[in-house]
Amino acid sequence: MSEQEGAAVVFTEDDFAKMTVFKRFEGGTVYTFDTDTQFLVVVDESTMAFLLEEESDDMEFIKCTAFATAEARLAYIQAKYPSGENDDPDF
């Protein structure tokens, strides 16, 4: 399967428990997750959603991008989320 950026998906707390934290940033977390056929990047920006107005109810805070290979995923996340001062997992 080719890369599918920005597809809105629903994950349960159990799903997030199985994911690996790649990077934390103010307001969110970038996770990686492997399925039988895909290598996923899940970006959860819902951490501070409660601060937004009610009209934010239709906003998507969790996005998933799928890759056919682990190498393609790694290249994507290294380019999109470069190492920096906010790499501490306890940010």
Side-chain angles (χ1 to χ4, degrees):
M1 175 180 251
S2 62
E3 159 184 345
Q4 296 179 333
E5 185 170 0
V9 279
V10 176
F11 291 103
T12 66
E13 287 185 34
D14 289 338
D15 293 330
F16 279 104
K18 297 173 190 172
M19 295 180 190
T20 301
V21 173
F22 176 77
K23 184 173 189 173
R24 294 186 194 274
F25 57 92
E26 188 172 357
T29 305
V30 178
Y31 298 92
T32 59
F33 184 67
D34 300 344
T35 70
D36 292 338
T37 59
Q38 298 176 322
F39 299 88
L40 307 176
V41 174
V42 179
V43 180
D44 179 359
E45 297 179 300
S46 64
T47 305
M48 297 176 56
F50 68 92
L51 296 174
L52 299 175
E53 299 292 326
E54 287 183 24
E55 60 265 10
S56 68
D57 289 344
D58 61 344
M59 294 177 71
E60 297 173 2
F61 295 104
I62 300 174
K63 299 207 178 176
C64 180
T65 305
F67 298 87
T69 66
E71 293 80 14
R73 175 183 64 192
L74 182 59
Y76 171 83
I77 58 178
Q78 286 178 334
K80 186 148 178 118
Y81 304 100
S83 294
E85 63 185 52
N86 294 333
D87 287 349
D88 183 0
D90 296 323
F91 180 85

